[in-house]
Amino acid sequence: MNKQLKVLFIGTYVPKECGIATFTFDLLNSVSRVHDDIHCEVIALNDPSETYNYPEEVVFQIERDKLEDYYRAADFINRSDADIVCLQHEFGLFWGNAGDYIFALLSGINKPVITTMHTVIREPEPEYRISTEKLIRYSEKLVVMSQTAVEMLKDVYKVPDEKIEIIFHGLPDYPFNNCSKYKQMLNLKGAPLILTFGLLSQNKGIENMLEALPDVVSRYPDLVYLILGATHPVIKKHYGETYRKYLMNRVSELGLENNVMFHDKFVEKEELCNYILASDIYASPYLSREQIVSGALTYAIGMGKAIVSTPYWYAQEMLSDNRGLLVDFGDTAGFKNSLLYLIENPDECENMRIKAYGFGRKMTWKNIGKEYNTVFSRVLKHYNPYPKVQNRFNFLPDQLPEIKLDHLKLLTDDVGIIQHTNLGVPARHYGYSTDDVGRGLVALTQLTDSQEKAEELRKLITTYMSFLEHAQTGTGHFHNFMSYRREFLDEEGSEDTLGRAIYGLGHVISCPYLSKNTRTLAHTLVSKSKMQMEKLSYPRAKAYTMCGLYEMLRAGVDADSFESIFNSRRDAVRAVDSLIDKDTVESIFTSHADSLVDLYEANGKEDWNWFEPTVTYSNAKLSEALILAYNYTKDRTYRRVGLATLDFLTEVQWKGDFFDIVGNQGWYSCDGEKPIFDQQPIEAGYLTQAYISAYETVRERKYLDLARYSFEYFLGRNRLRTPMYDYSTGAICDGLNCDGMNCNQGAESVICFLMALSSLNKHAGEAYSALSQPTVSEEILPKKKSLLSANKVE
């Protein structure tokens, strides 16, 4: 090999006590021993609240009922240097409907997947058919352990031959032996010693063996039937030891106390092999035909045991050619006769053992590892990841949607904007908020690009201005929440509320198509807030305020601009004297800009170019405020910090072909993990605005591309590949949760969408000119150290 092959296994893993955990462990070791240049690691699945002291090869853990862990695992895989993923699949391993949580992982990775199918269902219920078909679609190869499973995949699921590989269940390589040595080692008796092993559950059919024993014991009183294995943990959790107690009672009723032994324990592999080697006969009395693999039966075959089994699919295939005896399901007499045949015909029994042992040589783990490695190499040779990446978001439009205000108008009554909806229907009991009204004014004024548009939007803008005028307190602050009964619910809102109000009022003041009366009222409200703006302490409140004041400064608006609207000189002087002047606006503006820079200098460090130790909400507005500060002052410090922090937001949220917004389930601390959900669309809207501001400032193409991609978050370029925008109404869903989209469509979401759409519309021709799907490059993604999920096992 020219380079080391790195294989990442997904499944349960030792020391967890389950068959697939043992299988994954054995498979990993068999593959890693094929060649020195093969390195193997594991993503381990845990039950809720389980913790294990895993060996060092376990590099990541999934709590199987937490959907977010599957998404994190996908991110981990993509960032890792693994060449190939080998998934151990059994429906019960994964949470969800027919184990469909696993598709949150499989749909998000860019590595080839080889799936070992431990279960194939011949007559699946609809949810299991859907799950199986998705598994087939996401897998480059399907490995099954019997020809029966191959035929089912082809007949039931129409899988082509070239996608299926048959590789037998592995087994340890022991020499053919007599049993006495191991009986002495384990202090076991029994002539013969019959063994059934595995996690105890009702599908084992052990009661049928018990019913067969009295007639056999009457002839061979030294016979011992050993039932080895703990009760299956899921069965024990829900039903306790009901089945074991039933079997023990039946033993007493049949008078078999001296002939039947229960060893209630989970045995490690070496001890298990010793038990098998000590036995004369292995019994596999399963009740269900629909079993395509059995590790227990495989071990018994490979160690050359005489075997009696029911004809489930795997047993039929493995025990053909006289490698064992088959007994119909529930046929007690058949078990009795088969046991007597093996005991009373030692030559035929020995011949059967030799055939089974010889067949098992091809199933030793050493050979199985080589076969898996051959499949891995063949898949890697022909694997092409690019079509998968290129088609990931091929449903996106090639142009921006039209401006549609239906939903905003639906939420607006003669008071203001109703905050929330219940599935798109305005929920009046939530009332109104200044936060939404302030940002709503930003969206509407950005859309007001002509006198005709101003007239069209006049009623909405007037309603919002009326709300703010009513919400302003005597101190110049603003109430935030108003009930549907038109009663304010707070003494005053937060600092962010003040900032958002100023943000909207600044846009009104700078909009040349609005009436001078409306703009003067906005200027008056801003002026009343002078003292409140000066004493702001929270960074986002400062950023919002800066964005509003920038609009005033950019438009060159000063108190003198409004003198001509008054009826008399005396009224004009009185009014102008009460309005905030340009020097004061500049002073507040630059003071807040300097304080943001100070925050950055205090908290920024290597790999953490941010204003605070935590990335929380409305993040891009902080970066945008400093970019705007540079535009007005030409102070290069503002530009440096604004772009550095915006690039940092890109680094932690841009996944190469979509934005994965920092969720608000705990936010993202510099020493913690980035939460994936609950993602809020406001963050995508603010990113779009910030990227457009950056593009207009430095004219670097990457910012325009990123503006397009962050806007397309609304259209489906997101982790769930789910469009949030309703083209028929203009509504936006309220967020992305781990279990899907939040189908409520509140005011904040639609307003931020409109703000983003207006910003990008200014450069739509450039943004959508001959652009292909994005790729990760140094032009888009800053050169930074990868920030891996905290689920990584150190």
Side-chain angles (χ1 to χ4, degrees):
M1 291 187 178
N2 296 324
K3 66 180 283 291
Q4 184 182 66
L5 172 67
K6 188 167 183 179
V7 183
L8 188 56
F9 291 89
I10 302 175
T12 51
Y13 202 68
V14 296
K16 182 178 176 67
E17 297 178 352
C18 87
I20 290 182
T22 303
F23 181 91
T24 308
F25 175 82
D26 288 335
L27 178 59
L28 178 146
N29 282 282
S30 68
V31 168
S32 63
R33 289 171 183 162
V34 170
H35 197 282
D36 291 340
D37 287 336
I38 300 176
H39 179 70
C40 298
E41 293 179 339
V42 179
I43 292 179
L45 289 152
N46 299 329
D47 281 317
S49 304
E50 278 185 341
T51 56
Y52 292 105
N53 184 21
Y54 282 118
E56 63 181 2
E57 60 265 26
V58 175
V59 293
F60 196 96
Q61 298 177 43
I62 294 174
E63 193 162 326
R64 66 191 188 98
D65 67 331
K66 290 185 177 178
L67 185 57
E68 188 165 335
D69 279 5
Y70 294 84
Y71 287 111
R72 291 193 185 285
D75 293 344
F76 177 84
I77 293 168
N78 289 337
R79 291 181 177 131
S80 76
D81 58 352
D83 297 295
I84 204 158
V85 174
C86 186
L87 171 69
Q88 305 308 304
H89 185 272
E90 200 281 323
F91 295 101
L93 283 186
F94 314 105
W95 222 256
N97 192 17
D100 65 359
Y101 274 24
I102 188 59
F103 301 117
L105 186 158
L106 295 180
S107 65
I109 62 175
N110 54 18
K111 315 276 185 177
V113 177
I114 285 80
T115 298
T116 303
M117 297 185 70
H118 292 261
T119 300
V120 181
I121 304 174
R122 186 186 293 274
E123 297 179 357
E125 296 295 327
E127 64 269 26
Y128 285 93
R129 174 176 286 279
I130 290 169
S131 193
T132 302
E133 289 173 348
K134 289 177 74 172
L135 184 68
I136 293 165
R137 194 161 63 248
Y138 284 121
S139 303
E140 297 296 315
K141 288 281 188 178
L142 302 168
V143 176
V144 291
M145 304 181 208
S146 67
Q147 188 60 39
T148 304
V150 172
E151 297 307 319
M152 277 196 283
L153 286 177
K154 290 162 62 175
D155 295 343
V156 179
Y157 301 98
K158 310 305 178 187
V159 182
D161 283 334
E162 60 271 17
K163 197 163 190 170
I164 306 172
E165 299 285 343
I166 180 168
I167 303 178
F168 291 120
H169 192 298
L171 56 87
D173 193 4
Y174 281 88
F176 192 77
N177 69 92
N178 60 41
C179 310
S180 57
K181 168 186 171 183
Y182 292 93
K183 286 181 182 178
Q184 291 176 2
M185 180 190 303
L186 297 172
N187 195 27
L188 292 173
K189 297 180 180 179
L193 176 63
I194 305 171
L195 175 68
T196 292
F197 73 88
L199 293 173
L200 199 62
S201 63
Q202 287 180 312
N203 73 332
K204 296 292 185 184
I206 292 170
E207 60 272 20
N208 291 321
M209 274 291 295
L210 296 179
E211 299 293 336
L213 287 182
D215 287 345
V216 182
V217 168
S218 66
R219 295 196 208 180
Y220 302 96
D222 292 333
L223 177 151
V224 171
Y225 180 34
L226 174 58
I227 301 165
L228 173 64
T231 300
H232 194 291
V234 175
I235 300 295
K236 189 171 184 178
K237 179 179 179 180
H238 290 95
Y239 304 103
E241 294 287 2
T242 303
Y243 182 58
R244 184 181 298 276
K245 289 176 182 177
Y246 161 74
L247 294 176
M248 295 175 73
N249 289 336
R250 194 69 187 123
V251 167
S252 297
E253 292 167 357
L254 294 170
L256 297 171
E257 294 94 332
N258 296 326
N259 302 95
V260 177
M261 298 171 57
F262 291 88
H263 281 198
D264 181 8
K265 62 179 180 177
F266 184 90
V267 292
E268 300 296 335
K269 184 175 66 174
E270 184 176 353
E271 184 181 7
L272 170 61
C273 291
N274 289 336
Y275 274 103
I276 299 171
L277 292 167
S279 65
D280 299 288
I281 298 171
Y282 175 70
S284 182
Y286 285 151
L287 298 178
S288 173
R289 185 179 301 276
E290 290 79 20
Q291 183 152 338
I292 62 164
V293 67
S294 167
L297 183 65
T298 303
Y299 275 39
I301 291 170
M303 294 181 193
K305 297 292 105 179
I307 299 169
V308 180
S309 175
T310 50
Y312 52 91
W313 291 328
Y314 188 68
Q316 277 188 301
E317 186 173 329
M318 293 295 106
L319 299 182
S320 61
D321 296 331
N322 200 33
R323 291 190 288 268
L325 299 178
L326 295 175
V327 177
D328 283 344
F329 299 101
D331 184 359
T332 301
F335 276 110
K336 179 193 75 173
N337 294 332
S338 295
L339 292 173
L340 290 172
Y341 176 82
L342 292 173
I343 296 169
E344 295 173 351
N345 295 277
D347 290 342
E348 286 84 349
C349 180
E350 183 74 1
N351 204 29
M352 192 178 296
R353 290 183 59 206
I354 291 170
K355 283 190 173 186
Y357 183 81
F359 182 75
R361 292 318 86 210
K362 67 177 72 173
M363 296 190 290
T364 61
W365 278 117
K366 180 179 179 180
N367 291 327
I368 298 305
K370 290 178 180 178
E371 291 188 53
Y372 268 91
N373 188 56
T374 299
V375 173
F376 295 158
S377 300
R378 194 158 61 239
V379 166
L380 283 172
K381 183 177 180 180
H382 299 289
Y383 178 66
N384 179 10
Y386 296 108
K388 179 180 178 181
V389 172
Q390 289 171 353
N391 293 330
R392 184 166 184 166
F393 298 106
N394 61 1
F395 57 85
L396 290 168
D398 57 4
Q399 62 184 17
L400 292 174
E402 295 181 0
I403 301 290
K404 197 172 189 64
L405 298 178
D406 296 28
H407 192 64
L408 184 65
K409 291 176 179 177
L410 178 70
L411 295 176
T412 302
D413 59 15
D414 61 346
V415 175
I417 314 172
I418 294 175
Q419 289 188 77
H420 301 297
T421 73
N422 185 0
L423 298 177
V425 177
R428 295 178 176 180
H429 59 279
Y430 288 109
Y432 316 87
S433 82
T434 294
D435 290 341
D436 292 333
V437 169
R439 286 180 294 212
L441 284 171
V442 175
L444 292 174
T445 52
Q446 285 181 324
L447 296 174
T448 307
D449 55 5
S450 67
Q451 209 65 51
E452 292 76 19
K453 197 68 174 179
E455 186 58 33
E456 177 188 336
L457 301 178
R458 184 178 65 84
K459 186 177 187 303
L460 286 172
I461 293 173
T462 302
T463 298
Y464 297 175
M465 282 297 300
S466 177
F467 185 95
L468 290 187
E469 192 274 337
H470 183 46
Q472 191 166 43
T473 68
T475 66
H477 210 303
F478 291 85
H479 297 288
N480 190 11
F481 299 114
M482 176 190 277
S483 73
Y484 192 68
R485 293 184 295 179
R486 305 189 182 189
E487 298 170 344
F488 285 112
L489 304 176
D490 50 24
E491 291 296 320
E492 62 181 32
S494 66
E495 287 192 2
D496 283 4
T497 296
L498 176 74
R500 289 165 184 144
I502 302 300
Y503 185 24
L505 292 169
H507 276 77
V508 171
I509 293 169
S510 68
C511 183
Y513 302 106
L514 298 181
S515 72
K516 209 161 195 182
N517 283 342
T518 301
R519 295 163 61 209
T520 301
L521 176 59
H523 202 165
T524 302
L525 299 182
V526 172
S527 301
K528 288 180 181 179
S529 299
K530 171 181 173 294
M531 291 182 61
Q532 298 291 344
M533 290 190 292
E534 289 175 333
K535 64 181 185 181
L536 289 173
S537 59
Y538 288 97
R540 282 158 188 79
K542 294 178 180 181
Y544 280 121
T545 299
M546 287 174 62
C547 290
L549 297 183
Y550 172 77
E551 289 299 310
M552 296 175 63
L553 295 170
R554 177 187 64 82
V557 177
D558 204 347
D560 294 340
S561 308
F562 297 94
E563 184 174 341
S564 63
I565 72 166
F566 297 102
N567 295 325
S568 70
R569 176 66 180 168
R570 185 181 62 184
D571 291 340
V573 170
R574 187 185 307 120
V576 169
D577 286 345
S578 69
L579 297 181
I580 192 169
D581 59 74
K582 180 180 178 182
D583 289 342
T584 303
V585 172
E586 283 184 347
S587 175
I588 297 172
F589 182 74
T590 56
S591 172
H592 290 341
D594 290 339
S595 72
L596 291 181
V597 171
D598 290 342
L599 271 177
Y600 173 78
E601 298 295 346
N603 291 289
K605 55 186 177 181
E606 185 179 2
D607 297 322
W608 190 260
N609 291 322
W610 192 238
F611 301 96
E612 301 164 298
T614 304
V615 177
T616 57
Y617 64 94
S618 304
N619 300 304
K621 199 56 66 181
L622 299 172
S623 304
E624 184 188 8
L626 284 181
I627 293 170
L628 298 180
Y630 165 76
N631 288 345
Y632 183 73
T633 66
K634 301 308 176 186
D635 185 328
R636 297 178 69 85
T637 299
Y638 299 152
R639 185 177 79 164
R640 173 179 63 84
V641 176
L643 294 178
T645 52
L646 185 58
D647 287 344
F648 173 74
L649 290 178
T650 306
E651 179 196 0
V652 300
Q653 297 180 115
W654 174 244
K655 306 295 289 185
D657 56 354
F658 71 97
F659 273 94
D660 202 24
I661 303 299
V662 171
N664 70 5
Q665 294 180 354
W667 308 122
Y668 180 29
S669 298
C670 60
D671 56 354
E673 62 179 301
K674 172 188 165 188
I676 297 176
F677 302 106
D678 177 20
Q679 294 187 19
Q680 301 295 300
I682 183 177
E683 303 302 326
Y686 283 173
L687 275 172
T688 304
Q689 288 181 291
Y691 286 134
I692 289 298
S693 293
Y695 176 66
E696 291 175 344
T697 299
V698 298
R699 288 292 165 178
E700 290 185 18
R701 174 72 198 205
K702 70 172 183 178
Y703 291 118
L704 183 57
D705 292 346
L706 288 166
R708 172 192 168 180
Y709 305 142
S710 59
F711 176 77
E712 288 180 345
Y713 176 93
F714 296 108
L715 308 181
R717 190 189 287 282
N718 52 55
R719 175 178 282 277
L720 300 184
R721 298 195 293 281
T722 302
M724 307 173 76
Y725 178 60
D726 185 337
Y727 281 86
S728 64
T729 66
I732 293 289
C733 290
D734 278 349
L736 295 181
N737 303 321
C738 64
D739 55 354
M741 187 168 58
N742 181 342
C743 292
N744 295 321
Q745 300 168 328
E748 179 181 274
S749 301
V750 68
I751 289 167
C752 291
F753 172 82
L754 290 170
M755 291 161 64
L757 179 56
S758 297
S759 296
L760 190 55
N761 250 333
K762 294 185 291 183
H763 305 280
E766 298 169 85
Y768 281 85
S769 61
L771 265 180
S772 61
Q773 291 287 338
T775 56
V776 176
S777 70
E778 292 183 3
E779 289 303 309
I780 290 219
L781 190 62
K783 209 179 233 183
K784 299 287 183 183
K785 180 182 177 182
S786 294
L787 300 167
L788 292 180
S789 164
N791 288 54
K792 186 178 187 301
V793 177
E794 299 297 340

